Amino acid sequence: MSVLSIETTPIEGQKPGTSGLRKTTRTFMGKHYLENFVASIFGAIGGAEGKTFVLGGDGRYFNDRAVQVILRMAAAEGAARVIVGQGGILSTPAASNLIRKRGTDGGIILSASHNPGGIDADFGIKFNGPNGGPAPESLTAKMHDLTTRIVGYRIWEGADVDMSSLGETSCGDMTVEVVDPVADYAQLMEGLFDFSALKALFAGGFTMRFDAMHAVTGPYATEILERRLGAPAGTVMNGSPSPDFGGGHPDPNPTWAKELMAVMTGPDAPDFGAASDGDGDRNMIVGRGAYVTPSDSLAVLAANATLAPGYAKGLAGVARSMPTSRAVDRVAEALGIEAYETPTGWKFFGNLLDAGKVTLCGEESAGTGSDHVREKDGLWAVLLWLNILAERKISVAEIMADHWKTYGRNYYSRHDYEAVETGKANALMERLEAKLADLPGTIVQGTTVEAADQFAYDDPVDGSRSEGQGVRVIFEGGARIVFRLSGTGTQGATLRVYLEDRVEGPEGLDRPADEALQTIIAAADEIAQIREMTGRNKPDVTT
Ligand code: G16
């Protein structure tokens, strides 16, 4: 048994996007593909010698093989220890927690998040730093650069490491510590939320369904909701993870979490419904007949956070990604705290959280989280909602109605045009950018454009600047349209159009969103000529 030095050549397109490197599973299974990228991760962080890492993934197809390859490469590079979730499994927030709790040099997470899994679906890999958060742009740029110049990598030649039993084993000279993926995470949640109040809530007959979508949160939700909080068996649905997520699309939104939506709008709907995605960082919240948009959920959590013990002292500030609705900004204003607007991607929250400038943050893409880890956290959001419901003792629909009455309502919807030819999508964005300067003052669908720009972000902590983060068109009266291309797709380009309009109330607070947004939807097409430029008559997914 020895360290092998393997010669390789650069493989095109190993450029991390919004959240690490995501490609089809078959691409990742190609010769040297995973190895080249892992070697570039180690290179970008200045080597693995003597370091300790966390490793795990969402259990999708190829997770088990990739874990073995990464362990052997880490061993060959002289890493001291790798902490792995049993079976190679760790949810993204649980991995973030372990990186922080154990004071490691970072971690490698295997997931393509909400993208489907399987040999004909998607795979992904990302590196999180010692703070537990996704690598910043400067580091992912270094990784990409190294992939374009790679000539070889080293790998330990040896048998597979046993991932099935807890405890310490080894791979070459490196210690491999196999840990229970759920235990530390469940303990963290117990410290943040009032588990006695939550137990009493379920004991009092409160009903809920948590849809794990055959993905990684099944074991986490079963342990916390059913075992520790006493929710009846069956509260967690689709709770057994499978490598292809039961053939489904583990994206918690009304389109893909159809089964849960049917339950929540059916005759025997429980009080509360929630879902999480492939790797457990996203969430969907739904009350009996009341879907809560991620943007509204963030605003409600910010307004009520002090009801949970972990946030009783109040919030330092809040942050949202730019396309996320501005509902949370109203709450921040009322609380007298700062609201930050960052580009899409959880990595942009890291500095603000580390510097203690914000406590809560969230995104329209169904991510909400806090300074407890450095990733968005699906189950955390569900538990915070439960804590709020336990304290306020009213329904989700009543919480929403009360929230809109207090703060006004930001109607919101996102239209996705998927797998658009890359050339066409780029042409649409370029055309849009070219006309930005002429838009202010023009009238579109009866409303005057107040401002239009390409969003750039200056990080208030490290001063770095991120440009080209999406086109914003803002109308007089508070409506807004954002256009951007997704950074997580694996087929062609996905055009995202984010639509928002604001109503102060007290009238007009309970209309269907698509009806309330009709004019804005028409304005988006008029400005970007979506139909003409993409050849599509309607979006593929509306959330
Ligand atoms: C990732 C990032 C999120 C981001 C989302 C946006 O989510 O972690 O911070 O909001 O991508 O995706 P897109 O670029 O496609 O709009 P996840 O859950 O896929 O890791």
Side-chain angles (χ1 to χ4, degrees), residues 409-492:
R409 177 168 182 183
N410 289 59
Y411 281 100
Y412 190 81
S413 184
R414 186 178 98 188
H415 289 188
D416 295 337
Y417 298 81
E418 293 180 341
V420 176
E421 241 174 75
T422 310
K424 285 185 180 172
N426 288 339
L428 181 148
M429 291 304 288
E430 277 159 26
R431 221 187 119 272
L432 200 54
E433 278 166 46
K435 68 194 250 193
L436 282 182
D438 299 328
L439 276 177
T442 57
I443 296 172
V444 187
Q445 299 287 322
T447 315
T448 308
V449 175
E450 192 177 86
D453 68 357
Q454 171 69 268
F455 180 59
Y457 178 64
D458 292 301
D459 188 304
V461 180
D462 66 16
S464 61
R465 186 172 173 83
S466 303
E467 288 177 341
Q469 298 294 332
V471 164
R472 304 187 284 193
V473 180
I474 297 164
F475 295 86
E476 278 177 3
R480 184 182 73 151
I481 307 170
V482 173
F483 302 90
R484 71 175 269 283
L485 298 183
S486 156
T488 61
T490 54
Q491 319 279 345

Side-chain angles (χ1 to χ4, degrees), residues 18-19 22 113-114 277 281-282 344-346 363 365 376 484 486-488 496 498:
T18 316
S19 189
R22 270 183 209 169
S113 188
H114 53 289
D277 70 334
D281 57 2
R282 297 184 173 206
T344 294
W346 204 262
E363 299 184 279
S365 55
K376 51 190 184 276
R484 71 175 269 283
S486 156
T488 61
R496 302 206 195 283
Y498 310 81

Side-chain angles (χ1 to χ4, degrees), residues 54-77:
V54 165
L55 173 63
D58 62 11
R60 68 180 59 225
Y61 190 89
F62 194 54
N63 188 112
D64 49 354
R65 294 312 314 151
V67 162
Q68 297 292 344
V69 168
I70 295 165
L71 283 175
R72 289 192 285 134
M73 288 183 71
E77 290 302 325

